[in-house]
Amino acid sequence: MNEFDLIRRYFTHSTPAAVLGVGDDAAILRPTAGHDLHVSADMLVSGRHFFADVEPEALGHKALAVNLSDMAAMGATPRWALLTLALPQLDEAWVAAFARGFFGLAAAHGVGVVGGDTTRGPLTLSVTIMGETPQGQALRRDSARSGDDIWVSGQLGLAAAALRSRLGQLPGIALPADCLRQLERPQPRVALGQQLLGIAHAALDVSDGFAADLSHILQRSHCGAEIWLDALPTHPALQPLRAQLLPCIAAGGDDYELCFTAPPERAAAVLAAAAVAGVAVSKVGRISTVPGLRLLAGDGSEVQLERLGYDHFA
Amino acid sequence: MNEFDLIRRYFTHSTPAAVLGVGDDAAILRPTAGHDLHVSADMLVSGRHFFADVEPEALGHKALAVNLSDMAAMGATPRWALLTLALPQLDEAWVAAFARGFFGLAAAHGVGVVGGDTTRGPLTLSVTIMGETPQGQALRRDSARSGDDIWVSGQLGLAAAALRSRLGQLPGIALPADCLRQLERPQPRVALGQQLLGIAHAALDVSDGFAADLSHILQRSHCGAEIWLDALPTHPALQPLRAQLLPCIAAGGDDYELCFTAPPERAAAVLAAAAVAGVAVSKVGRISTVPGLRLLAGDGSEVQLERLGYDHFA
């Protein structure tokens, strides 16, 4: 099997949403008139973003999921993806399982995989995702306004707890299986993002850690926020460990939930949107004109975290 | 300096061609009405696509050049790019030089770098490029027709000769400096591709080796071809070594010239297009209904090459 056989067999699926998919110098796409186009790219490196012995199907799922999550954060409908992949060797069973995970999730979201590249090298993936919103409607990081409620979807801290557990940093604690599932097979909140168009002001996805990610909204929107730490949602089984796991809940990465702001008078619309998307949402704080991020304990005292999120070069 | 400082300082340039560039979950682009969108991605791995000690500015140039070449091959106007980059360590001088090469070429082609990702890992780059053509006008690999002339731009074999020389496989041969320049700083034929819209039938860029790349056109267009080996253009200084360097000229990779087909009655239009683009073009063969690729020597005899091009998993 050579490079071209590999691409043909595992990475070439039909792409009805494209004029021309894999196989030419570039794909040919026909964007929807009256829509903006969104594009984003993420790189995943073995030993850094995933364990080298990760189940390849889970890796395929996650590689696309983290990119779909970027579309969800814009409220965009994901349409096309490209995958570049460096493989240490041509292990056909590994490639087949990886492709199942990647293309399975793509199909579930109606995403056409229209291009990419395979080469030999240290196991590394880069995924580019493209999606669309009606012109001018996207949820941006720079659109939060003073007085907005701050919301978060789903539960936080599960993926970070699973990672710490795997690294032996949570001795004596048995985590629920949902934690590992969140780490390995996150569910991008694509439907929720779309439902929030016209309701939410600012949004992003929680990838590096809730506090660090929210700080990006604050910086770009030139505002501050207070967060009620007790309101941050987590898994019921982690509730008794809330104090110990606060770094995971408030600053852990890899959950791929949405954090968004909306005016208080749209709270009912937010809850209705979440119900349509089938995702729980929690109100966890408020945008203010006071600069900076204030994390408040139940008694109103301010809490300092050692770090707010993950930095690849720290 | 952390990841965000790095992105801010070296990878965030103004992007007037985008509604929103680097800094949100995804860029916001507004494609041109009545145009098709082209997208392509390539991955470059240290030690495979480039030497680990490559001059970083040259690497930055080449990483974008090979992607611009894919747009050239479609006749597309390149508009936006994304860069994902794994770096073994944060060497600021290296990053600054790399960014000079990458963003310098982007600016020269009016390309906005609208997104990407940086992480720590074995030196690896992945670039996604996006461009546009008027709807339905793109140059595709599946559009060659029997009787078409086969053309190639510029000169072939320079980059492959430089690579072989660097690997010590051309002892006693002093190559002209143009060879190393072609290997390290290829000039994508963007203007030529655009000029060929409405004139050429099929096109692609010569990246893996002329014979292998042309074979892709033949496969997808369901036709064959004969190539006159003596007509394949190369550097004047390599002419005396033509026999020895035939594998480089006919099957060497990394030249990033365009190979295209056009009906014989458009030969004058081809030459006029090339003159406007400021690039030499050579007629090197003809598309036929006889399947397969026949490489012909000056006396009309058929030549067999040991291999037609490069395969990453061979």
Side-chain angles (χ1 to χ4, degrees), chain A residues 1-4 6 8 19-31 35-46 48-49 69-71 73-74 80 82-90 114-122 124-128 130 133 135-136 138-142 203-205 208 216 219-220 310-314, chain B residues 1-4 6 8 19-31 35-46 48-49 69-71 73-74 80 82-90 114-122 124-128 130 133 135-136 138-142 203-205 208 216 219-220 310-314:
Chain A
M1 168 168 291
N2 67 21
E3 179 185 357
F4 299 105
L6 179 83
R8 205 160 25 235
V19 178
L20 185 67
V22 171
D24 212 305
D25 292 286
I28 306 181
L29 313 177
R30 204 153 282 172
H35 283 60
D36 283 335
L37 182 73
H38 303 280
V39 58
S40 168
D42 272 306
M43 182 171 263
L44 301 180
V45 176
S46 179
R48 177 149 294 262
H49 299 90
S69 182
D70 283 322
M71 293 295 102
M74 305 296 288
W80 305 289
L82 297 93
L83 165 68
T84 61
L85 179 60
L87 295 171
Q89 68 276 324
L90 216 171
V114 296
D117 194 13
T118 56
T119 181
R120 200 183 283 267
T124 307
L125 306 85
S126 183
V127 177
T128 300
M130 303 166 72
T133 54
Q135 220 172 76
L139 306 175
R140 300 165 53 142
R141 296 181 175 186
D142 59 7
L204 50 55
D205 69 326
D208 290 335
H216 296 313
Q219 273 182 339
R220 293 181 70 94
Y310 191 78
D311 174 359
H312 284 291
F313 290 104
Chain B
M1 168 169 294
N2 67 21
E3 179 185 358
F4 299 105
L6 179 83
R8 207 162 21 236
V19 178
L20 185 68
V22 171
D24 212 304
D25 291 286
I28 306 181
L29 313 176
R30 204 153 284 171
H35 282 60
D36 283 334
L37 182 73
H38 303 280
V39 59
S40 168
D42 272 306
M43 182 171 264
L44 301 179
V45 176
S46 179
R48 178 149 292 262
H49 298 89
S69 183
D70 284 321
M71 293 294 102
M74 306 295 288
W80 304 289
L82 297 93
L83 165 69
T84 61
L85 180 60
L87 295 170
Q89 68 274 322
L90 217 170
V114 296
D117 195 13
T118 55
T119 181
R120 200 183 284 266
T124 307
L125 306 85
S126 183
V127 177
T128 299
M130 303 166 73
T133 54
Q135 221 171 74
L139 306 176
R140 301 166 53 142
R141 295 181 175 186
D142 60 6
L204 49 54
D205 69 326
D208 290 334
H216 296 312
Q219 274 182 338
R220 294 181 71 94
Y310 191 77
D311 174 359
H312 285 291
F313 290 104

Side-chain angles (χ1 to χ4, degrees), chain B residues 28-212:
Chain B
I28 306 181
L29 313 176
R30 204 153 284 171
T32 309
H35 282 60
D36 283 334
L37 182 73
H38 303 280
V39 59
S40 168
D42 272 306
M43 182 171 264
L44 301 179
V45 176
S46 179
R48 178 149 292 262
H49 298 89
F50 56 90
F51 293 102
D53 63 354
V54 65
E55 196 207 327
E57 187 169 342
L59 179 61
H61 172 100
K62 183 162 177 173
L64 186 60
V66 304
N67 280 276
L68 288 170
S69 183
D70 284 321
M71 293 294 102
M74 306 295 288
T77 302
R79 295 206 59 199
W80 304 289
L82 297 93
L83 165 69
T84 61
L85 180 60
L87 295 170
Q89 68 274 322
L90 217 170
D91 174 343
E92 196 174 338
W94 193 98
V95 169
F98 175 87
R100 262 200 314 278
F102 193 89
F103 284 89
L105 189 62
H109 285 272
V111 167
V113 182
V114 296
D117 195 13
T118 55
T119 181
R120 200 183 284 266
L123 183 56
T124 307
L125 306 85
S126 183
V127 177
T128 299
I129 187 95
M130 303 166 73
E132 296 180 316
T133 54
Q135 221 171 74
Q137 296 295 302
L139 306 176
R140 301 166 53 142
R141 295 181 175 186
D142 60 6
S143 306
R145 291 179 221 163
S146 179
D148 276 1
D149 292 327
I150 301 170
W151 298 81
V152 66
S153 68
Q155 301 168 342
L156 297 177
L158 283 65
L163 179 62
R164 289 195 175 197
S165 176
R166 165 82 195 247
L167 294 172
Q169 294 168 1
L170 295 177
I173 295 181
L175 295 175
D178 288 344
C179 289
L180 189 62
R181 195 173 308 124
Q182 186 79 2
L183 179 64
E184 294 200 332
R185 300 206 181 229
Q187 294 302 321
R189 301 306 190 187
V190 174
L192 177 62
Q194 291 169 337
Q195 289 296 325
L196 289 173
L197 289 182
I199 298 172
H201 281 157
L204 49 54
D205 69 326
V206 179
S207 55
D208 290 334
F210 172 77

